[in-house]
Amino acid sequence: MKLKKVLIFSIFIVLLLTIIGCRSANEKTASQESNEKSVTMLFSFASKTMDPHQDWMGVRAGVAETLVRIDGNLEIQPWLAEAWERKDGKTWTFKIREGVTFHDGTPVDGEAVKASFERVLETNEAVSSSLKIESMEADGQEITFVNTEEYPAFLSELVHTNASIVKVEAESIGEQPIATGPFKVTSFISETEVNLERYEDYWDGAAKLDQVKIKFNSDGNVRALALQSGEADIAYHLPPESLEPIESNDKLRVESVPSLRVHFLLYNNANPALQDVNVRRALDLLVNRPVAVKEIMNGHATEAAGPFNPNFAFAGETEPTSYDPEMAEKLLKEAGYRKNADGKMEKEGKVLTLKLATYSGRPELPLLAQYLQGEAASVGVDIEIVTIENIDSYLWERQDEWDMVTYSNLTAPRGDGGYFLNVAYLPEGALNPGQIDIRELNELTEQLNTTADPEKRMELQEGAVNVIQKEVPHSFILHPHIIVGVNDRVKDWEPGSEEYYLITNKMDVK
Amino acid sequence: MRKAVSIIGSRLFQLIIMILILSFATFVLMKITPGDPVRALLKVDDVISTTDDKERVMKEYGFDKPILVQYVQWLWNVAQLDLGESIISKRPVLDIILDRLPATFALSVGGMIALFVIAVPLGVLGAVYEGRWPDYISRWFAILGASIPSFWLGLLLIYFFSLKWNLLPVMGKGTLAHFVLPSITLGIAMAPLYIKILRERLVSTLQSTYIESAYARGLGKGRILLFHALRGSLVPLVTMFGLSIGSLLGGITVIEILFSWPGMGEMIVQAVMQRDYPLIQGYIMVVGLLVVMTNLIVDLLYLIIDPQIRHGKEIS
């Protein structure tokens, strides 16, 4: 009887190995046949679906395109739409480029674009609420949108990858969307890999590469190892500590570009101590940005002066705050604090003690927190650090518990700062758990919300940044860099700050 | 046969009770732990929409109703074999899980093979050379295997086998070669307990009277070890496996993430981070079912492989 068990087990194993063996044989022949130009990219965030209305990968992989895009200077440029016009406060008309075809060869006109938008409004809550579309009308190559309210930021919201144009009649949009980009999907395994092949009739000139493979792995060290072993040509988001062997390898290079993200401290306005701008300024002066960039980010970051990437025209001209503990101490004294016998800052018998929340989702944030704790101690301010697993809900549900938090956000991912100003600073903003309420800033933001003229918007946003720099509701620390390892055989390619357009028709291999 | 039917019957009953308790406990725990699926859902990039939107979506998904009402609604759907839809990806939960299950299953089998390849020789060495150096090697290996974190071990294996010696792929799934490193990682992670149990069992078997009598009959040492002692000692390993299926599924998660293995591990980590309640709940149901089923199979296997149990139980 024991033999029987052994027998069953053996048969099972043999069957399994046969299945796996067959599969591996198939894959081998497929890759042996191709001696065409191809690139393998390794990305950190796995895609569940290729549906461009649900996931960024559609645009990232060069499969789908939006009406407008942002360029290297982070300014809005035409893409599928070659021109647009804002007729009144709420009405926009876009002219779709002639000669654009879907991957199945059918032309893209106003009707197709309208159908695509109808689909995204129905299937994507977030995009639907950020686009604020009331109605649409298609006429030949034109499409007209009417917003539910006056909404000048509509143009920049259209940059969102989920607002891309797909053929809605396609059978399996989740696996093989039919869109307009230089590449089409040949196969997709959810959260594992996507295989792409060139679309010959691409409107902007067929791609130089025949094939592209994008694989996903959430472990930064594995991505770095895969690049070194040659299994990947491009590896995204490498941890700084893994770069040394890549930098010393003459077949590989490291690209490092400032991202649209900013790491910052968020102050809780509910704490009376933090309502005093002198206290916030003092804490801001204790942040040693050059040291944070060099020691914590291994140099792969840019010091921050305000919320927005310094390449934006509206980011403001001010230099990042310099580390100045003496000035910090002076400001605290102005705020009424005195050093007590133990060397602690004290006011009305109470030592200045702040609870700083942090989370390990971004490993450098707890380090920044600890670093700040040390600096604060040197001037007699006590900082107590708590590490929270789910920071977002903590900030909202325990608003009375924390005083400061290390946070990180994309501040103008679509080339316009309006969104961040709205959500982070308006009293009802969804990203304002610190109850920031600065009248001057609110007024500027509200004015921005009804201004369409790009230059005027620029001015208003710059004005808002100035108020933020003066009032210090947040302390901006640094813009982390996007670190990408690239095999030298890849040419005509570099990562962009926006992280939207990873695969292009221009990229090539030696 | 009657025995088998009664085992299956009682297990099915246990299964229903267990699923009710398990599902209710996870349902309540999920709702009281901090985290908010609506926030995840409404996040465009990193920035969340307005608070008004949040309330609207809460209503739409019924998250504003009392937990008990939500639970009963969920249970009613499950009774109709509907595990619901993922909040984030909008796909049916059952489809998502069934997409992922085969890869996790294949890796578990790979890990088991690695486990047996590692644990049986080391366990045997430990028992046969009890107190001598092969025994120490075996024990040291067990301690080492138990104390090395899987993610680090995996990275180490990738570093040597893929990068230094260029023998195996770093990550992904597809060919037989892709199976090797994750299977070995999983095998080493699970091996220590099995080595220990096999060694102890073998030591006591080798001292038992029937082995002595086998020696007395003049049978060779190797033959006795292989055909008498080892076969009997493998039975507890089968039991062990039934018991450790739950921790196996936990441990496999780290390995799946490290090697980009498209199994349920990566899926559930994502789901937990985004508080995708229907998917988490569905996963727990499926895993719970698997654990119970495995134990049922183990019990039935006993009936086949160990006549003593069958006859003993039937007589009493």
Side-chain angles (χ1 to χ4, degrees), chain A residues 313-376:
Chain A
F314 53 81
E317 297 288 321
T318 320
E319 290 294 309
T321 319
S322 306
Y323 169 69
D324 191 347
E326 274 169 36
M327 185 67 193
E329 222 173 309
K330 219 175 115 199
L331 286 172
L332 286 174
K333 284 188 178 141
E334 264 174 49
Y337 290 90
R338 292 287 170 272
K339 267 200 177 155
N340 66 13
D342 303 331
K344 306 269 188 203
M345 282 290 175
E346 196 182 271
K347 185 179 177 179
E348 291 153 10
K350 266 174 74 185
V351 173
L352 182 55
T353 305
L354 298 166
K355 187 165 166 187
L356 171 58
T358 187
Y359 56 102
S360 52
R362 295 184 178 275
E364 58 271 21
L365 292 182
L367 297 178
L368 284 170
Q370 280 167 18
Y371 186 67
L372 188 70
Q373 185 182 41
E375 290 296 342

Side-chain angles (χ1 to χ4, degrees), chain A residues 152 442-452 456-457 460:
Chain A
N442 297 348
E443 283 168 8
L444 280 169
T445 306
E446 273 149 23
Q447 210 181 329
L448 179 73
N449 290 345
T450 54
T451 306
K456 196 88 212 302
R457 282 186 77 78
L460 287 166

Side-chain angles (χ1 to χ4, degrees), chain A residues 293-305:
Chain A
V293 165
K294 198 161 159 268
E295 303 298 330
I296 297 176
M297 306 299 289
N298 282 5
H300 292 280
T302 301
E303 291 173 42

Side-chain angles (χ1 to χ4, degrees), chain B residues 1-8 303 314:
Chain B
M1 198 59 213
R2 250 188 308 148
K3 184 70 199 164
V5 172
S6 85
I7 288 184
I8 294 173
L303 286 182
E314 290 246 320

Side-chain angles (χ1 to χ4, degrees), chain A residues 17 55 61 99 104 142 230 265 270 317 331 341 382 406 422 447 449 486 500:
Chain A
L17 292 181
D55 194 278
D104 63 352
E142 284 187 352
L265 290 170
E317 297 288 321
L331 286 172
D382 273 346
T406 61
N422 271 283
Q447 210 181 329
N449 290 345
V486 188
Y500 283 156

